[in-house]
Coordinates of all heavy atoms in Angstrom, one line a residue:
Q400 N 167.4 75.2 176.0 CA 168.4 74.9 177.1 C 169.8 75.3 176.6 O 170.7 75.5 177.5 CB 168.3 73.5 177.5 CG 167.0 73.1 178.2 CD 166.6 74.0 179.4 OE1 167.4 73.9 180.4 NE2 165.6 74.7 179.3
K401 N 170.0 75.4 175.4 CA 171.4 75.7 174.8 C 171.8 77.2 175.0 O 172.9 77.5 174.8 CB 171.5 75.3 173.4 CG 170.6 76.0 172.5 CD 170.7 75.5 171.0 CE 169.8 76.3 170.1 NZ 169.8 75.8 168.7
L402 N 170.8 78.0 175.3 CA 171.1 79.5 175.4 C 172.1 79.7 176.5 O 172.0 79.1 177.6 CB 169.8 80.2 175.6 CG 168.8 80.2 174.5 CD1 167.5 81.0 174.8 CD2 169.4 80.8 173.2
E403 N 172.9 80.8 176.3 CA 173.9 81.1 177.3 C 173.3 81.5 178.7 O 173.8 81.1 179.7 CB 174.8 82.2 176.9 CG 175.9 82.6 177.8 CD 176.9 83.6 177.3 OE1 177.1 83.6 176.1 OE2 177.3 84.5 178.1
S404 N 172.2 82.3 178.7 CA 171.7 82.7 179.9 C 171.1 81.5 180.7 O 171.1 81.5 181.9 CB 170.5 83.7 179.6 OG 169.5 83.1 178.8
V405 N 170.6 80.5 180.0 CA 170.0 79.3 180.7 C 171.2 78.5 181.3 O 171.1 78.1 182.5 CB 169.3 78.5 179.7 CG1 168.7 77.2 180.4 CG2 168.0 79.3 179.2
Q406 N 172.2 78.3 180.6 CA 173.4 77.5 181.1 C 174.1 78.2 182.2 O 174.5 77.7 183.2 CB 174.4 77.2 179.9 CG 173.9 76.3 178.9 CD 173.5 74.9 179.4 OE1 174.3 74.4 180.3 NE2 172.4 74.3 179.0
A407 N 174.2 79.6 182.1 CA 174.9 80.4 183.2 C 174.1 80.3 184.5 O 174.6 80.3 185.5 CB 175.1 81.8 182.7
M408 N 172.8 80.4 184.3 CA 171.9 80.3 185.5 C 172.1 78.9 186.2 O 172.2 78.9 187.4 CB 170.4 80.4 185.1 CG 169.4 80.2 186.2 SD 169.7 81.3 187.7 CE 169.1 82.8 186.9
K409 N 172.2 77.8 185.4 CA 172.5 76.5 186.1 C 173.8 76.5 186.8 O 174.0 76.0 187.9 CB 172.5 75.4 185.0 CG 171.0 75.2 184.5 CD 171.1 74.1 183.4 CE 169.7 73.8 182.8 NZ 169.7 72.8 181.7
D410 N 174.8 77.2 186.2 CA 176.2 77.2 186.8 C 176.1 78.0 188.1 O 176.7 77.7 189.1 CB 177.2 77.9 185.8 CG 177.4 77.0 184.6 OD1 177.3 75.8 184.7 OD2 177.7 77.6 183.5
L411 N 175.3 79.2 188.0 CA 175.2 80.0 189.2 C 174.6 79.2 190.4 O 175.1 79.4 191.6 CB 174.3 81.3 188.9 CG 174.1 82.3 189.9 CD1 173.9 83.7 189.3 CD2 172.8 81.9 190.8
Q412 N 173.7 78.4 190.1 CA 172.9 77.6 191.1 C 173.8 76.6 191.8 O 173.5 76.1 192.8 CB 171.7 77.0 190.6 CG 170.6 78.0 190.3 CD 169.4 77.4 189.5 OE1 169.0 77.8 188.5 NE2 168.9 76.4 190.2
R413 N 175.0 76.3 191.2 CA 175.9 75.4 191.8 C 176.5 75.9 193.1 O 177.1 75.2 194.0 CB 177.0 74.9 190.9 CG 176.5 73.9 189.8 CD 177.6 73.7 188.8 NE 179.0 73.7 189.3 CZ 180.0 74.2 188.6 NH1 179.8 74.7 187.4 NH2 181.2 74.2 189.1
G414 N 176.5 77.3 193.2 CA 177.2 77.9 194.3 C 176.4 78.9 195.1 O 176.7 79.2 196.2
F415 N 175.3 79.4 194.5 CA 174.5 80.5 195.2 C 173.0 80.1 195.2 O 172.6 79.2 194.5 CB 174.7 81.8 194.4 CG 176.1 82.4 194.5 CD1 177.0 82.1 193.6 CD2 176.4 83.2 195.6 CE1 178.3 82.7 193.7 CE2 177.7 83.7 195.7 CZ 178.6 83.5 194.8
S416 N 172.3 80.9 196.0 CA 170.8 80.7 195.9 C 170.4 81.1 194.5 O 170.9 82.0 193.9 CB 170.2 81.7 197.0 OG 170.5 81.3 198.2
A417 N 169.3 80.3 194.1 CA 168.9 80.5 192.7 C 168.3 81.9 192.4 O 168.3 82.3 191.3 CB 167.8 79.4 192.4
G418 N 167.8 82.5 193.5 CA 167.3 83.9 193.4 C 168.3 85.0 193.3 O 167.9 86.2 193.2
Q419 N 169.6 84.7 193.3 CA 170.6 85.7 193.3 C 170.5 86.6 192.0 O 170.9 87.8 192.1 CB 172.0 85.0 193.3 CG 173.2 85.9 193.5 CD 173.5 86.3 194.9 OE1 173.2 85.6 195.8 NE2 173.8 87.6 195.1
S420 N 170.1 86.0 190.9 CA 170.1 86.8 189.7 C 169.1 87.8 189.6 O 169.2 88.8 188.9 CB 170.0 85.8 188.5 OG 168.7 85.2 188.5
D421 N 168.0 87.7 190.3 CA 166.8 88.6 190.3 C 166.1 88.5 191.6 O 165.0 87.9 191.8 CB 165.9 88.1 189.2 CG 164.8 89.1 188.9 OD1 164.8 90.2 189.4 OD2 163.9 88.8 188.0
P422 N 166.6 89.3 192.6 CA 166.0 89.2 194.0 C 164.6 89.8 194.0 O 164.3 90.7 193.2 CB 167.0 89.9 194.8 CG 167.7 90.8 193.9 CD 167.8 90.1 192.5
A423 N 163.8 89.4 195.0 CA 162.6 90.1 195.3 C 163.0 91.4 195.9 O 164.0 91.6 196.6 CB 161.7 89.3 196.2
M424 N 162.1 92.4 195.7 CA 162.3 93.8 196.2 C 161.2 94.1 197.2 O 160.0 94.0 197.0 CB 162.3 94.8 195.1 CG 163.3 94.5 194.0 SD 165.0 94.3 194.5 CE 165.4 95.9 195.1
V425 N 161.6 94.5 198.4 CA 160.7 94.9 199.5 C 160.9 96.4 199.8 O 162.0 96.8 200.0 CB 160.8 94.0 200.8 CG1 159.9 94.5 201.8 CG2 160.6 92.6 200.5
Y426 N 159.8 97.1 199.8 CA 159.8 98.6 200.1 C 159.1 98.9 201.3 O 158.0 98.4 201.5 CB 159.3 99.4 198.9 CG 160.1 99.1 197.6 CD1 159.7 98.1 196.8 CD2 161.2 99.9 197.4 CE1 160.5 97.9 195.6 CE2 162.0 99.7 196.2 CZ 161.6 98.7 195.3 OH 162.3 98.4 194.2
V427 N 159.7 99.6 202.2 CA 159.1 100.1 203.5 C 158.9 101.6 203.3 O 159.9 102.3 203.1 CB 159.9 99.7 204.7 CG1 159.3 100.3 206.0 CG2 160.0 98.2 204.8
Q428 N 157.7 102.1 203.5 CA 157.4 103.5 203.4 C 156.7 104.0 204.7 O 155.8 103.4 205.2 CB 156.4 103.7 202.2 CG 156.1 105.2 202.0 CD 155.1 105.4 200.8 OE1 154.2 104.5 200.6 NE2 155.2 106.5 200.1
S429 N 157.2 105.2 205.1 CA 156.7 105.8 206.3 C 155.3 106.3 206.0 O 155.0 107.0 204.9 CB 157.5 107.0 206.7 OG 157.0 107.7 207.8
K430 N 154.3 106.0 206.9 CA 152.9 106.5 206.6 C 152.7 108.0 206.9 O 151.8 108.6 206.2 CB 151.9 105.7 207.5 CG 151.9 104.2 207.2 CD 150.9 103.4 208.2 CE 150.8 102.0 207.9 NZ 149.9 101.3 208.7
D431 N 153.5 108.6 207.8 CA 153.3 110.0 208.1 C 154.4 110.9 207.6 O 154.6 112.0 208.1 CB 153.1 110.1 209.6 CG 154.4 109.5 210.4 OD1 155.3 109.1 209.7 OD2 154.3 109.5 211.6
A432 N 155.2 110.4 206.6 CA 156.3 111.1 206.0 C 157.4 111.4 207.0 O 158.3 112.3 206.7 CB 155.8 112.4 205.4
A433 N 157.4 110.8 208.1 CA 158.5 111.0 209.1 C 159.7 110.1 208.7 O 159.5 109.0 208.1 CB 158.1 110.6 210.5
P434 N 160.9 110.5 208.9 CA 162.1 109.7 208.6 C 162.1 108.4 209.2 O 161.7 108.2 210.4 CB 163.3 110.6 209.0 CG 162.7 112.0 209.1 CD 161.3 111.8 209.5
L435 N 162.5 107.3 208.5 CA 162.6 106.0 209.1 C 163.7 105.9 210.1 O 164.8 106.4 209.9 CB 162.7 105.0 207.9 CG 161.6 105.0 206.9 CD1 162.0 104.1 205.7 CD2 160.3 104.4 207.5
D436 N 163.5 105.0 211.1 CA 164.5 104.8 212.1 C 165.5 103.7 211.6 O 165.1 102.7 211.2 CB 163.8 104.3 213.4 CG 164.8 104.0 214.5 OD1 165.4 105.0 215.0 OD2 165.0 102.8 214.8
K437 N 166.7 104.1 211.8 CA 167.8 103.2 211.2 C 167.8 101.9 212.0 O 167.9 100.8 211.4 CB 169.2 103.9 211.4 CG 170.4 103.0 211.0 CD 170.3 102.8 209.5 CE 171.7 102.2 209.0 NZ 172.0 100.9 209.5
G438 N 167.7 101.9 213.3 CA 167.7 100.7 214.0 C 166.5 99.8 213.7 O 166.6 98.5 213.6
A439 N 165.3 100.4 213.5 CA 164.1 99.6 213.1 C 164.3 99.0 211.7 O 163.9 97.8 211.5 CB 162.9 100.5 213.1
L440 N 165.0 99.7 210.8 CA 165.3 99.1 209.5 C 166.2 97.9 209.5 O 166.0 97.0 208.8 CB 165.8 100.2 208.6 CG 164.9 101.4 208.2 CD1 165.6 102.4 207.3 CD2 163.6 100.9 207.6
D441 N 167.2 98.0 210.4 CA 168.1 96.9 210.6 C 167.4 95.7 211.1 O 167.6 94.5 210.7 CB 169.3 97.3 211.4 CG 170.2 98.3 210.8 OD1 170.2 98.4 209.5 OD2 171.0 99.0 211.5
T442 N 166.5 95.9 212.1 CA 165.8 94.8 212.7 C 164.9 94.2 211.7 O 164.7 92.9 211.6 CB 165.0 95.3 213.9 OG1 165.8 95.9 214.9 CG2 164.1 94.2 214.5
Y443 N 164.3 95.0 210.8 CA 163.4 94.5 209.8 C 164.1 93.7 208.8 O 163.6 92.6 208.4 CB 162.7 95.7 209.1 CG 161.7 95.3 208.1 CD1 160.5 94.7 208.5 CD2 161.9 95.6 206.7 CE1 159.5 94.4 207.5 CE2 160.9 95.2 205.8 CZ 159.7 94.6 206.2 OH 158.8 94.3 205.3
R444 N 165.3 94.1 208.5 CA 166.2 93.3 207.5 C 166.4 91.9 208.1 O 166.3 90.9 207.4 CB 167.5 94.0 207.3 CG 168.5 93.2 206.5 CD 169.9 93.7 206.7 NE 170.3 93.5 208.1 CZ 171.2 94.3 208.7 NH1 171.7 95.3 208.1 NH2 171.4 94.1 210.0
D445 N 166.7 91.8 209.4 CA 167.0 90.5 210.0 C 165.7 89.6 210.0 O 165.8 88.4 209.8 CB 167.4 90.7 211.5 CG 168.8 91.5 211.5 OD1 169.5 91.4 210.5 OD2 169.1 92.1 212.6
K446 N 164.6 90.2 210.2 CA 163.3 89.5 210.2 C 163.0 88.9 208.8 O 162.6 87.8 208.6 CB 162.1 90.3 210.7 CG 162.2 90.7 212.1 CD 161.0 91.6 212.6 CE 161.0 91.9 214.0 NZ 159.9 92.7 214.4
L447 N 163.3 89.7 207.8 CA 163.1 89.3 206.4 C 164.0 88.1 206.1 O 163.6 87.1 205.5 CB 163.4 90.4 205.4 CG 162.4 91.5 205.3 CD1 162.9 92.6 204.3 CD2 161.0 91.0 204.9
A448 N 165.3 88.2 206.6 CA 166.3 87.1 206.3 C 165.9 85.8 206.9 O 166.3 84.7 206.5 CB 167.7 87.6 206.7
K449 N 165.1 85.8 208.0 CA 164.8 84.6 208.7 C 163.5 83.9 208.1 O 163.1 82.8 208.6 CB 164.5 84.9 210.2 CG 165.8 85.3 210.9 CD 165.5 85.7 212.4 CE 166.8 86.1 213.1 NZ 166.5 86.5 214.5
L450 N 162.8 84.6 207.2 CA 161.6 84.0 206.6 C 162.0 82.7 205.8 O 163.0 82.6 205.2 CB 160.9 85.0 205.7 CG 160.3 86.2 206.4 CD1 159.7 87.2 205.3 CD2 159.1 85.8 207.3
D451 N 161.1 81.7 205.9 CA 161.3 80.4 205.2 C 161.4 80.7 203.6 O 160.6 81.5 203.1 CB 160.2 79.5 205.4 CG 160.2 78.9 206.8 OD1 161.3 79.0 207.5 OD2 159.1 78.4 207.3
G452 N 162.4 80.1 203.0 CA 162.6 80.3 201.6 C 163.5 81.4 201.2 O 163.8 81.6 200.0
V453 N 163.9 82.3 202.2 CA 164.7 83.5 201.9 C 166.2 83.1 202.1 O 166.5 82.5 203.2 CB 164.3 84.7 202.8 CG1 165.3 85.8 202.6 CG2 162.9 85.1 202.4
G454 N 167.0 83.4 201.2 CA 168.5 83.1 201.4 C 169.2 84.2 202.1 O 170.0 84.0 203.0
S455 N 168.9 85.4 201.7 CA 169.5 86.6 202.4 C 168.7 87.8 202.1 O 167.9 87.9 201.2 CB 170.9 86.8 201.9 OG 170.9 87.1 200.5
A456 N 168.9 88.8 202.9 CA 168.2 90.1 202.7 C 169.1 91.3 203.1 O 170.0 91.1 204.0 CB 166.9 90.2 203.7
A457 N 169.1 92.3 202.3 CA 170.0 93.4 202.5 C 169.3 94.8 202.3 O 168.4 94.9 201.4 CB 171.2 93.3 201.5
L458 N 169.6 95.7 203.1 CA 169.0 97.1 202.9 C 169.9 97.7 201.9 O 171.1 98.0 202.1 CB 169.1 97.9 204.3 CG 168.7 99.3 204.2 CD1 167.2 99.5 203.7 CD2 168.9 100.0 205.6
T459 N 169.4 98.0 200.7 CA 170.2 98.4 199.6 C 170.2 100.0 199.4 O 171.1 100.6 198.8 CB 169.8 97.8 198.3 OG1 168.4 98.0 198.1 CG2 170.1 96.3 198.3
A460 N 169.1 100.7 199.8 CA 169.0 102.1 199.6 C 167.9 102.7 200.4 O 166.9 102.0 200.8 CB 168.8 102.4 198.1
T461 N 168.1 103.9 200.8 CA 167.0 104.7 201.4 C 166.8 106.0 200.5 O 167.7 106.5 199.9 CB 167.2 105.1 202.8 OG1 168.5 105.8 202.9 CG2 167.3 104.0 203.7
S462 N 165.5 106.5 200.4 CA 165.3 107.7 199.6 C 165.9 108.8 200.2 O 166.3 108.9 201.4 CB 163.8 107.9 199.5 OG 163.2 108.0 200.8
P463 N 166.2 109.9 199.4 CA 166.8 111.1 200.0 C 166.1 111.7 201.2 O 166.8 112.2 202.1 CB 166.7 112.1 198.8 CG 166.7 111.2 197.6 CD 165.9 110.0 198.0
D464 N 164.8 111.6 201.3 CA 164.1 112.2 202.4 C 164.0 111.1 203.6 O 163.3 111.3 204.5 CB 162.8 112.7 202.1 CG 161.8 111.6 201.4 OD1 162.3 110.5 201.3 OD2 160.7 112.0 201.0
R465 N 164.5 109.9 203.3 CA 164.6 108.8 204.3 C 163.1 108.4 204.7 O 162.9 107.9 205.8 CB 165.3 109.2 205.6 CG 166.8 109.5 205.3 CD 167.6 109.5 206.6 NE 167.4 108.3 207.4 CZ 168.1 107.2 207.3 NH1 169.0 107.1 206.3 NH2 167.9 106.1 208.1
T466 N 162.2 108.5 203.8 CA 160.8 108.0 204.1 C 160.5 106.6 203.4 O 159.6 106.0 203.7 CB 159.8 109.0 203.5 OG1 159.9 109.1 202.2 CG2 159.9 110.3 204.2
V467 N 161.4 106.2 202.6 CA 161.3 104.9 201.9 C 162.6 104.1 202.0 O 163.7 104.7 201.7 CB 160.9 105.1 200.4 CG1 160.7 103.7 199.7 CG2 159.6 105.8 200.3
A468 N 162.6 102.9 202.3 CA 163.7 102.0 202.3 C 163.5 100.8 201.3 O 162.4 100.3 201.1 CB 164.0 101.5 203.7
Q469 N 164.6 100.4 200.6 CA 164.6 99.4 199.6 C 165.4 98.2 200.1 O 166.6 98.4 200.5 CB 165.1 99.9 198.3 CG 165.2 98.8 197.2 CD 165.8 99.3 196.0 OE1 165.1 99.8 195.1 NE2 167.1 99.3 195.8
Y470 N 164.8 97.0 200.1 CA 165.5 95.8 200.5 C 165.6 94.9 199.3 O 164.6 94.7 198.6 CB 164.8 95.1 201.7 CG 164.8 95.9 202.9 CD1 163.8 96.8 203.2 CD2 165.8 95.6 204.0 CE1 163.8 97.5 204.4 CE2 165.8 96.3 205.1 CZ 164.8 97.2 205.4 OH 164.8 97.9 206.6
S471 N 166.8 94.2 199.2 CA 166.9 93.2 198.2 C 166.9 91.9 198.9 O 167.7 91.6 199.8 CB 168.3 93.4 197.5 OG 168.5 92.3 196.6
V472 N 165.9 91.0 198.5 CA 165.7 89.8 199.2 C 165.9 88.6 198.2 O 165.2 88.4 197.3 CB 164.2 89.6 199.8 CG1 164.0 88.4 200.5 CG2 164.0 90.9 200.7
V473 N 167.0 87.9 198.5 CA 167.4 86.8 197.6 C 166.7 85.6 198.1 O 166.8 85.1 199.2 CB 168.9 86.6 197.7 CG1 169.3 85.3 196.8 CG2 169.6 87.8 197.2
L474 N 165.9 85.0 197.1 CA 165.1 83.8 197.5 C 166.0 82.5 197.1 O 167.0 82.6 196.4 CB 163.8 83.7 196.7 CG 162.9 84.9 196.8 CD1 161.6 84.7 196.0 CD2 162.5 85.2 198.2
K475 N 165.6 81.4 197.7 CA 166.4 80.2 197.5 C 165.9 79.4 196.2 O 166.5 78.4 195.8 CB 166.1 79.2 198.7 CG 166.7 79.7 200.0 CD 166.5 78.7 201.1 CE 167.0 79.2 202.4 NZ 166.8 78.2 203.5
Y476 N 165.0 80.1 195.5 CA 164.5 79.5 194.2 C 164.6 80.4 193.1 O 164.8 81.7 193.3 CB 163.0 79.1 194.4 CG 162.7 78.5 195.7 CD1 162.0 79.2 196.7 CD2 163.1 77.1 196.0 CE1 161.7 78.6 197.9 CE2 162.9 76.5 197.2 CZ 162.1 77.3 198.2 OH 161.8 76.7 199.4
R477 N 164.7 79.9 191.9 CA 164.7 80.8 190.7 C 163.5 81.7 190.7 O 162.4 81.2 191.0 CB 164.7 79.9 189.4 CG 166.1 79.3 189.1 CD 166.2 78.6 187.8 NE 165.2 77.6 187.6 CZ 164.1 77.6 186.9 NH1 163.8 78.7 186.2 NH2 163.3 76.6 186.8
P478 N 163.6 82.9 190.3 CA 162.6 83.9 190.4 C 161.3 83.5 189.6 O 160.2 83.9 190.0 CB 163.1 85.2 189.9 CG 164.4 84.9 189.3 CD 164.9 83.6 189.8
T479 N 161.4 82.7 188.6 CA 160.2 82.3 187.7 C 159.7 81.0 188.0 O 158.7 80.6 187.4 CB 160.6 82.5 186.3 OG1 161.7 81.6 186.0 CG2 160.9 83.9 185.9
E480 N 160.3 80.2 189.0 CA 159.8 78.9 189.3 C 158.6 79.0 190.3 O 158.4 79.9 191.0 CB 160.9 77.9 189.7 CG 161.4 78.2 191.1 CD 162.4 77.1 191.4 OE1 162.0 75.9 191.7 OE2 163.6 77.4 191.5
D481 N 157.8 77.9 190.3 CA 156.6 77.9 191.1 C 156.8 78.2 192.6 O 156.1 79.0 193.2 CB 155.9 76.5 191.0 CG 155.3 76.2 189.6 OD1 155.3 77.2 188.8 OD2 154.9 75.1 189.3
K482 N 157.9 77.7 193.2 CA 158.1 77.9 194.6 C 158.4 79.4 194.8 O 157.9 79.9 195.9 CB 159.3 77.0 195.1 CG 159.0 75.5 195.1 CD 160.2 74.7 195.6 CE 159.8 73.2 195.7 NZ 160.9 72.5 196.2
A483 N 159.1 80.0 194.0 CA 159.4 81.4 194.2 C 158.2 82.3 194.0 O 157.9 83.2 194.8 CB 160.5 81.9 193.2

Side-chain angles (χ1 to χ4, degrees):
Q400 296 301 297
K401 64 184 179 182
L402 296 178
E403 180 176 324
S404 59
V405 176
Q406 292 298 321
M408 174 59 73
K409 292 180 178 179
D410 294 333
L411 181 150
Q412 290 176 232
R413 285 175 33 219
F415 292 91
S416 294
Q419 186 80 34
S420 64
D421 188 6
M424 307 303 295
V425 178
Y426 298 90
V427 175
Q428 182 181 33
S429 173
K430 292 181 179 179
D431 56 6
L435 298 169
D436 179 70
K437 179 65 167 62
L440 293 180
D441 291 340
T442 301
Y443 184 66
R444 176 201 60 208
D445 295 339
K446 290 181 179 179
L447 289 176
K449 292 177 181 177
L450 292 174
D451 288 340
V453 173
S455 63
L458 175 61
T459 55
T461 55
S462 62
D464 60 2
R465 295 192 58 79
T466 61
V467 180
Q469 174 182 272
Y470 292 85
S471 175
V472 180
V473 177
L474 306 182
K475 294 180 179 179
Y476 316 107
R477 283 187 301 109
T479 57
E480 70 175 288
D481 289 347
K482 290 182 179 179

